[in-house]
Amino acid sequence: MSHSRSGLDDALESAWRRFLASLADALDELEPRAALDVRREGLDEFDGVAASVHMRRDGDHIVVEAASNRVLASSQKLSKTARRQLRELGFAKSSKGAQHYTVVLPATHVDQVASLVVDALRRAYVVVHPSFLITSVDWHVARHLPEARASVEVVRPGGKVHLDELIEEVLRPMLGHRPIRDFDGDFRYPEGSAVVFIQTRRHSPLIRLFAQMVLGVQDHDAALRAVNDLNREILGITFTLDGDKVVASAELQGSPFVAEHLEILVTHLADTVASRDAELAERLGGRVYANVDVCSSPADDAPPEIHPVMVDLFHVESAGPGSLRASVVAAMCGYDAGLLNNLIRWNEDQEERWRKSRDHAHGTNEHDFAQVCEAQRAHAARTVRTLRKALRRQQPR
């Protein structure tokens, strides 16, 4: 996977270098009072605007304005870390209620302006690839606009199920087999000591990726300093301290969906966590996730692939406790006894795996993780009972 990761990194950096050069050329040809906008494409903007940077020529200067949370859509709000990164780049608000962060630079410094804009897009707005951007021009501007578009296939998912299918198509060749999904329906992507979870939402096209980097942190002050250092150092990933856990996460717009972007982000997150977690865990008095994620151990047999109907059942159950009833399960399975028996066996296997993981966690004093395993084991046991009840249901005549 390292060779693939290196190629993806090279392609990503090359795309941004081309975009930066084209943007600098466009800025160099900006005429007085001309303006150039660069913004993220493909978002529902009913409650605000997409992440954007506005550049305009004002005499001998170029004024750069980056959208703030006052105007950004809810799915695009800047985190506290992102706002700090904008300020570190030199952006500032003219007043507390200002709608934009602003910085002014000489019009002769187009390379610096272009670099500033790219840094803001990548670091604060977490734009993974320039093909996510579109440009718009007012007045007269350069003949050669930034070529943000890349020759990539763009798909607009028809909903969560379709988006999940697209994600699976990306992960399958990366893993060499069909990706495993947990009881929450999240995809799992293991690499080295890292396990990246890929999560979609029912009412939003946002794809969330996260990995627990260190668990059982003992030195919280050191952890806060480490998280801040990582956020300053690494682009495209947000590091947070959640209780006694250091979590690395990233988000990606799933509409439009570009397979290459997800592949880049998954490998970036997995490689970053796997290459840094052991040293960080030792420094913070904690442990890496792989030490407690027993089910992903290479010594274990690969868990059986989840049936698509089981995924649908998870989606129904996510609506609320008690929503997965035997009558609903029987209908969704078409009253097919063979299918129901297959699902029973799959969940019985999951129950046994979680039981072993729970017992192993207790044996290594990982009691917090043991509680997680027990909850998953109990969930699998309840599902088996529901499936057995569904098996006794007869199709209405």
Side-chain angles (χ1 to χ4, degrees):
M1 290 186 185
S2 60
H3 177 74
S4 172
R5 166 70 202 278
S6 176
L8 287 169
D9 279 347
D10 290 345
L12 179 63
E13 293 306 318
S14 177
W16 278 111
R17 283 195 298 270
R18 290 195 302 271
F19 178 78
L20 188 150
S22 297
L23 179 59
D25 289 343
L27 290 168
D28 195 36
E29 297 186 33
L30 270 179
E31 297 181 3
R33 295 184 297 172
L36 172 62
D37 284 314
V38 179
R39 65 181 178 86
R40 194 196 298 267
E41 183 194 27
L43 298 178
D44 295 324
E45 300 169 28
F46 60 91
D47 64 343
V49 303
S52 61
V53 180
H54 177 79
M55 295 147 278
R56 56 185 171 85
R57 179 75 177 269
D58 185 7
D60 294 331
H61 293 85
I62 294 177
V63 180
V64 184
E65 297 175 327
S68 75
N69 286 344
R70 300 278 296 183
V71 294
L72 286 170
S74 57
S75 64
Q76 291 296 285
K77 298 296 186 186
L78 293 166
S79 65
K80 183 177 181 180
T81 299
R83 297 195 298 272
R84 188 189 70 239
Q85 288 172 334
L86 280 177
R87 291 192 294 270
E88 289 175 351
L89 289 172
F91 286 90
K93 281 188 174 184
S94 59
S95 64
K96 186 175 181 180
Q99 295 185 343
H100 298 89
Y101 294 89
T102 304
V103 64
V104 181
L105 293 169
T108 53
H109 291 36
V110 293
D111 290 325
Q112 183 181 351
V113 175
S115 180
L116 182 74
V117 171
V118 168
D119 283 345
L121 291 168
R122 297 186 70 178
R123 293 174 60 183
Y125 297 108
V126 197
V127 177
V128 178
H129 193 284
S131 61
F132 266 146
L133 301 169
I134 59 176
T135 59
S136 62
V137 185
D138 294 328
W139 298 82
H140 301 289
V141 75
R143 293 182 297 276
H144 305 291
L145 295 176
E147 296 177 359
R149 307 229 176 251
S151 56
V152 294
E153 182 180 356
V154 176
V155 181
R156 293 192 179 275
K160 184 182 187 303
V161 173
H162 186 198
L163 181 57
D164 287 345
E165 292 172 352
L166 294 171
I167 293 172
E168 182 172 318
E169 289 176 7
V170 173
L171 296 179
R172 186 188 288 265
M174 295 174 68
L175 292 166
H177 57 79
R178 186 175 181 180
I180 303 301
R181 302 179 73 172
D182 63 16
F183 282 110
D184 295 321
D186 299 344
F187 293 96
R188 292 164 51 94
Y189 180 83
E191 180 169 334
S193 57
V195 179
V196 176
F197 293 88
I198 299 99
Q199 181 182 78
T200 58
R201 303 172 183 178
R202 185 175 296 276
H203 302 297
S204 169
L206 200 66
I207 302 171
R208 181 171 183 261
L209 296 82
F210 64 95
Q212 296 186 27
M213 193 170 180
V214 179
L215 290 81
V217 169
Q218 300 298 315
D219 190 338
H220 282 250
D221 290 338
L224 286 172
R225 291 192 296 270
V227 163
N228 288 333
D229 290 342
L230 287 167
N231 281 321
R232 280 192 293 268
E233 179 183 351
I234 299 174
L235 298 175
I237 299 176
T238 299
F239 297 88
T240 55
L241 181 61
D242 182 10
D244 65 346
K245 303 177 183 69
V246 175
V247 180
S249 63
E251 291 183 341
L252 182 68
Q253 284 297 323
S255 181
F257 179 84
V258 180
E260 182 187 15
H261 297 173
L262 178 61
E263 185 176 354
I264 289 170
L265 193 54
V266 169
T267 52
H268 179 38
L269 181 57
D271 188 69
T272 298
V273 172
S275 63
R276 295 169 179 263
D277 56 357
E279 183 275 333
L280 185 62
E282 183 177 359
R283 186 149 47 99
L284 303 182
R287 58 196 181 278
V288 300
Y289 184 77
N291 288 345
V292 297
D293 188 19
V294 182
C295 293
S296 65
S297 170
D300 293 338
D301 295 331
E305 292 186 355
I306 186 170
H307 195 284
V309 173
M310 198 66 235
V311 176
D312 293 338
L313 294 179
F314 288 151
H315 289 165
V316 172
E317 189 176 31
S318 67
S323 56
L324 191 63
R325 299 181 179 277
S327 57
V328 174
V329 173
M332 291 181 67
C333 292
Y335 300 90
D336 185 333
L339 173 58
L340 284 163
N341 278 312
N342 286 339
L343 297 181
I344 288 170
R345 285 192 292 272
W346 186 87
N347 280 278
E348 286 176 338
D349 180 83
Q350 293 297 307
E351 182 183 1
E352 181 61 22
R353 287 175 178 274
W354 284 115
R355 178 183 288 107
K356 289 180 179 178
S357 296
R358 178 202 63 192
D359 294 345
H360 184 279
H362 277 310
T364 55
N365 294 320
E366 307 289 352
H367 300 300
D368 289 344
F369 184 66
Q371 291 180 358
V372 174
C373 293
E374 172 57 23
Q376 298 284 20
R377 185 211 62 78
H379 179 277
R382 287 195 302 272
T383 305
V384 168
R385 291 195 294 271
T386 302
L387 288 164
R388 292 193 183 283
K389 290 179 183 178
L391 191 60
R392 296 192 291 269
R393 296 273 177 167
Q394 295 185 352
Q395 186 170 3
R397 298 185 181 279

